[in-house]
Structure formats: structure tokens, C-alpha cells
Amino acid sequence: MTIAPAPYDAVAPGYDLVAAGREMRVDFALPLNACELCCDRHAGDGRAAMTFVAPDGAVTRLDFEALRQLSARMANLLASLGVRPGDRVAGLLPRTPALAAVILGVLRAGGVYQPLFTAFGPKAIEHRIGASGAHVIFTDAANRAKLEGIDATIVVVDAGMAGLDALLSAHSPLFEPVRQGADRPFFIMFTSGTTGPSKPVLVPPSALANIFAYMRHAIDLRADDRFWNIADPGWAYGLYYGLIGPLLLGNGNLWCEEGFTAEGAVKAIAQFGITNLAGAPTAYRLLAAADPALFAVIAGQLRVVSSAGEPLNPEIVRWFGDILGAPVRDHYGQTEMGMCLCDHHGLEHPRVPGASGRALPGFALAVVDAGGRVVADGATGVLAIRRDSPLMYFTGYDGLGTNAFVGDYYLTGDVVRRSGDDLFFVGRDDDVITTSGYRVGPFDIESALLERPEVIEAGVVGIPDAERTEIIKAFIVLREGHAPSRALEDALRDHVRARVGRHAYPREISFVSELPKTPSGKIQRHLLRRPAKD
């Protein structure tokens, strides 16, 4: 059955906790429990909740009743370890049933869950555990050594369901969910550290409204979809929208423990009948670099594709349309408040080429200057969110005393341009380049460079210059089979001049084997600038 998207204007105005709660069948005025909403109310219907794929290809499927029981056993284990409501518990585990059990068990017990990405080294883990004050940490043998010297109860879970069953077998599958008010935290997250040290963010249950609204209106997750969010649950996008989001709607998600590859992605999409895909441009660029013939088996299978984490380059949009016959749309958000600006799959609005989209229902967005004053339509400024937006739950960073707001607005630090209701991404405020009197965002230049068949990734920064304030420098990762040359440099410069403007071409080009990125896949442009400053 074809489902037509609802008109954007019919949903966006007045969308608040009451409206979201009505769709979710949740009353946010009453105490609630996130695990209960994700598991208990769907238990018994027999639907698959989570599918896990181990590195050896072994598949484990758990329905909602199985997740409910696992979460209850885990909550009882936590209670035996002295964990009480409000205590913080961390998980340093790969994408296995054990990790899902830990997350949901902590939520069921009224605790505060803290994700730890398994690619973190000891220093990054120590910083986050120290700032969060986690009482208990769950890990496995492969990651145990990273926790040496950390003062917390450490529980090691053997890999696979057998290890999880052995750990939980002595504990009852019954545990009454601890319900709490909408302002009590249930996650403690850390920002990705794109421009500096990561900061802790407390996430209350009212954030479930944002998660639900995004899954419903932007992702357009439907009852008959088979969903795969490839983002790691060690980060906000994978945790909010790869575990909590689909479970809230009574759907499931796929967790593949092995690292992401083009061949593995095609196999998973085909094997599990994936129709709704979400991920980051980093992963999508990896797909686009592969042999197009690889994707013939899944061409036309994906109904919708969503992209988040970094701006979506037009070349990737074209690739999905040409090779897979699937619409891919850009979505924007931050750890602080979740997703807030989207080219929605589930809402009908004009599709403006190059635009990032419109506000997620429940958010009031503005474009402001550094003083919090709204700029004129068509001008550039910082993307800001009104603090009184109905779905805005962020109030500041935990324990840092940071005033994250300027006047009525939270300033995201990302520069955009507004044209009517549509917003166009320019770049991080720190990344915008001032050259010969022009302010140039790296995104347009990077997108132009990616149009060249030789280029698989590009990172653009400004470096100091006495005459022009800054000049543009591009760091280029070439596709296999292409080599650096002066002729290629000239061709890249000419292409950017033609596509972006004569003022916005890279005067310097460096060919590199890889770009520095955060563990969540965002380009760290401040590290690209560093050699020029040192």
C-alpha cells in the first residue's frame, strides 16, 4: 500500500510533547520508563526487535518479549551490584545482545546509561568515566585492558548469547520498571569532540518525543519496513535512532558486529531485506567508491535512505539515485538535542536543491549572529534553536557550568543560510574560511571536489595568509588507480573555479591517504589546520 507523506505545514505548527505523546500513546505528564516503552508494550506480538550478526556470520534474533526478559534479568543483576535509580552505568561492548541487555537493563532499573565507543583508547575512556562518575562498567575480554586503573565495578561479559545467558541465568526475568519524571536523566552522552574536548550532556525521558518525531517524520519508519541504522550505538545517532527509536515504534534494527564494508553492506541489505537505511556520509562515500556492479543485487530494494553526521554531498545523492534507485536525504542534529533540521522522508515539502531541509516538528530554528540577533533572510549566520522550542530538552552541559545559550537561543556553532523556510548548510563556525574579503564554507568546495571521478574524500580548511587573511587548502584522498600529479591539481582547481567561484578554489592541495576523523566519522578540520600553525 502506498502511503503519501503528510503535508509539512499540517504537522510542524504546534507540535509539542502533548502532540508527540498522543502519537506515541504516552502521557509525558506522568512518570515513565524508557525500557517499558521500548520493550514491554510490544512484548508478546512475536515481532523481531533486534537482529544481531556476529563476525562469523552467525545470526541471533530477539523479539520484544526476549528483550523484556533480558532487560529484567540485567536490572536484577544491577540491583545485586548496588546500582540504584539515578546511578550511572557504562557499556564498553561491541554490537551484541549483551550491549542491548545492558542498555535496556539500566533504563529499566532507573539508572543513567553512558555509552563508550569500542574504538576509544584508554585516555578517551578515562575522561568520560571521570566526568560521568559511572559506578559500574560492562565490557568484554577484548576491551578489558582499556579500563586498567579506573575506579569502578567492572563486569566482563563473554562474547555471544552463551556468555550473556551465563551471566544472567541466576536472576529473575521479572523486574518492575522504575518510572520517573520527564526531567530525570536516563542517558549521559558526550559530544563528539569535533572542535575540542567532549562535554557531558544529560538526556531526560522527554527526549523520547524528539526520537519518536524523527523516526516518524524524517526517517519515515513504517510498520512493514526492515530498518538498518548502521551507526554505532556508542554515539548519539546510533543509540537514539538505532536502538531506542525503532523499538519505540515497535520496529527492529540490525546490528552487525563486524566493521562496515561495501561488500558486507550489500550482503546485509540483501540477506535481511532492508528497505529503510540510515547512516553517515562517511559510510556512503565508501559505498560510492566500490565497483557499481556490486550493487546490482540490491538495486531498487531500498525505499528511503537517510544521512546524518556531516552534510550530505550532492555527488552521493546522485550516486544513490543512479546506482540504487533510492532517495537519500540530509538530516542534521547534535548530541545535545537530537535531530532538529531535516529533509523529511515522511513529510511533504518543497525539495530545494542544496538545502538541508526544514525544522523537525517541535523545533523553532533561527539564523542569528554571534550576539543572538536574527539575520536577514538570505544572509548567513549561526543555526540557533529557541530555548522554548517544545521538543528542546537541552539546558546545558553537566557539571561544567557552561552557559550554552545566548539570549533566547542555543547556538549550534554551525553556519547556515536561510531562504524562506529552507536552510542551507555552510560549515562549522570555526571552519568557515575568510579569504580576500569573502566568507567561504568548506562544504561547497568539498562537494565540488567529490564530483571529480579521481576523488573519494576531501577536507578543506583555511590557512593564514598575510595578503588574503586565509587561503583555501584542500586535502584529497584519491580513488584506487589514481596518482597525485601537477596536472591533476590544476584540473581540480579549475573544476572548483567553475563550480563554486573564482574566489573559492584551493590554492594549495595535499594528497593524503586518509583524513583525520572523530570516532563517529566526522572530519576533524582543526587537525588539518594544525600543521600550518605549528
Side-chain angles (χ1 to χ4, degrees):
M1 180 179 67
T2 301
I3 301 176
Y8 176 86
D9 291 337
V11 177
Y15 195 85
D16 56 14
L17 280 179
V18 174
R22 189 179 303 117
E23 283 191 297
M24 297 171 64
R25 296 178 287 115
V26 173
D27 186 348
F28 282 98
L30 300 176
L32 54 87
N33 181 277
C35 179
E36 185 175 23
L37 296 177
C38 288
C39 295
D40 297 31
R41 65 175 177 168
H42 307 302
D45 62 11
R47 284 179 294 170
M50 295 293 295
T51 300
F52 305 87
V53 183
D56 63 1
V59 176
T60 300
R61 289 183 173 87
L62 299 177
D63 62 17
F64 285 96
E65 173 60 20
L67 278 186
R68 186 201 67 75
Q69 292 189 31
L70 281 178
S71 70
R73 292 183 188 277
M74 182 61 70
N76 280 306
L77 170 60
L78 291 168
S80 75
L81 296 173
V83 174
R84 299 291 178 262
D87 286 349
R88 297 171 180 187
V89 178
L92 179 63
L93 289 163
R95 283 171 274 194
T96 60
L99 178 59
V102 169
I103 297 170
L104 295 170
V106 172
L107 302 187
R108 191 175 198 86
V112 182
Y113 175 71
Q114 178 198 348
L116 292 171
F117 186 40
T118 53
F120 281 153
K123 185 176 181 181
I125 292 170
E126 182 180 12
H127 165 67
R128 287 163 173 79
I129 293 296
S132 74
H135 290 215
V136 177
I137 308 170
F138 284 80
T139 190
D140 60 0
N143 290 282
R144 175 64 179 86
K146 299 176 184 178
L147 302 175
E148 294 297 333
I150 290 179
D151 183 19
T153 299
I154 298 172
V155 180
V156 178
V157 185
D158 291 336
M161 281 298 295
L164 180 60
D165 289 343
L167 180 71
L168 299 180
S169 60
H171 299 280
S172 169
L174 300 176
F175 189 102
E176 187 67 20
V178 176
R179 301 179 182 91
Q180 55 189 357
D183 59 343
R184 294 285 300 276
F186 72 124
F187 287 150
I188 180 167
M189 309 295 296
F190 282 77
T191 59
S192 60
T194 307
T195 58
S198 59
K199 299 181 287 292
V201 176
L202 293 177
V203 182
S206 58
L208 295 172
N210 164 273
I211 295 172
F212 181 90
Y214 175 68
M215 300 301 300
R216 172 61 59 84
H217 301 301
I219 290 281
D220 190 26
L221 185 61
R222 301 178 182 177
D224 59 350
D225 270 333
R226 293 189 177 183
F227 180 61
W228 185 20
N229 182 339
I230 62 179
D232 193 284
W235 295 99
Y237 194 72
L239 181 58
Y240 296 173
Y241 311 111
L243 179 69
I244 301 301
L247 296 184
L248 273 178
L249 273 66
N251 292 65
N253 189 31
L254 173 67
W255 277 6
C256 294
E257 190 177 344
E258 198 166 24
F260 185 84
T261 65
E263 293 79 6
V266 169
K267 180 181 178 181
I269 291 170
Q271 179 179 356
F272 299 105
I274 302 300
T275 58
N276 192 323
L277 181 69
T282 300
Y284 296 155
R285 288 193 291 268
L286 188 151
L287 297 180
D291 183 352
L294 174 68
F295 302 93
V297 68
I298 59 169
Q301 179 176 316
L302 293 170
R303 182 177 65 82
V304 292
V305 180
S306 301
S307 177
E310 282 195 306
L312 183 63
N313 305 102
E315 187 61 26
I316 300 301
V317 176
R318 285 192 287 272
W319 182 88
F320 267 98
D322 293 344
I323 304 301
L324 293 180
V328 56
R329 293 180 181 163
D330 203 4
H331 299 162
Y332 168 90
Q334 291 187 338
T335 303
E336 285 85 341
M337 87 300 293
M339 306 307 286
C340 62
L341 170 63
C342 303
D343 188 0
H344 303 85
H345 284 294
L347 295 176
E348 187 57 50
H349 56 81
R351 310 292 172 189
V352 180
S356 297
R358 298 185 173 189
L360 182 75
F363 283 93
L365 305 182
V367 183
V368 305
D369 60 22
R373 295 174 291 271
V374 176
V375 303
D377 191 53
T380 60
V382 177
L383 176 63
I385 303 172
R386 283 194 62 93
R387 67 164 76 223
D388 59 358
S389 293
L391 296 192
M392 178 65 164
Y393 56 83
F394 175 65
T395 58
Y397 299 106
D398 182 44
L400 296 182
T402 302
N403 183 1
F405 294 82
V406 174
D408 293 331
Y409 296 102
Y410 164 70
L411 274 56
T412 64
D414 288 306
V415 177
V416 298
R417 175 174 58 85
R418 177 189 286 278
S419 178
D421 290 328
D422 297 295
L423 295 171
F424 295 77
F425 188 86
V426 176
R428 285 290 303 175
D429 192 21
D430 293 340
D431 293 333
V432 173
I433 303 162
T434 302
T435 181
S436 300
Y438 297 97
R439 279 173 59 81
V440 179
F443 173 66
D444 288 339
I445 305 172
E446 291 168 357
S447 294
L449 289 166
L450 286 173
E451 293 174 351
R452 293 285 305 193
E454 305 92 342
V455 178
I456 184 57
E457 287 195 301
V460 169
V461 299
I463 61 175
D465 180 78
E467 180 182 349
R468 297 179 175 84
T469 306
E470 290 180 300
I471 61 171
I472 298 168
K473 181 171 183 176
F475 294 82
I476 303 292
V477 180
L478 294 176
R479 293 178 186 270
E480 187 176 353
H482 295 277
S485 69
R486 180 61 61 86
L488 179 55
E489 288 186 30
D490 291 342
L492 294 175
R493 291 191 183 97
D494 289 344
H495 183 75
V496 175
R497 285 192 189 99
R499 295 289 290 161
V500 182
R502 296 187 61 82
H503 66 290
Y505 71 93
R507 293 179 179 271
E508 292 190 13
I509 294 176
S510 288
F511 296 100
V512 296
S513 60
E514 62 182 6
L515 299 177
K517 298 173 184 174
T518 66
S520 61
K522 297 179 182 178
I523 297 174
Q524 292 180 299
R525 294 181 183 84
H526 68 287
L527 295 182
L528 294 176
R529 291 191 293 266
R530 181 174 294 173
K533 293 183 176 181
D534 290 345

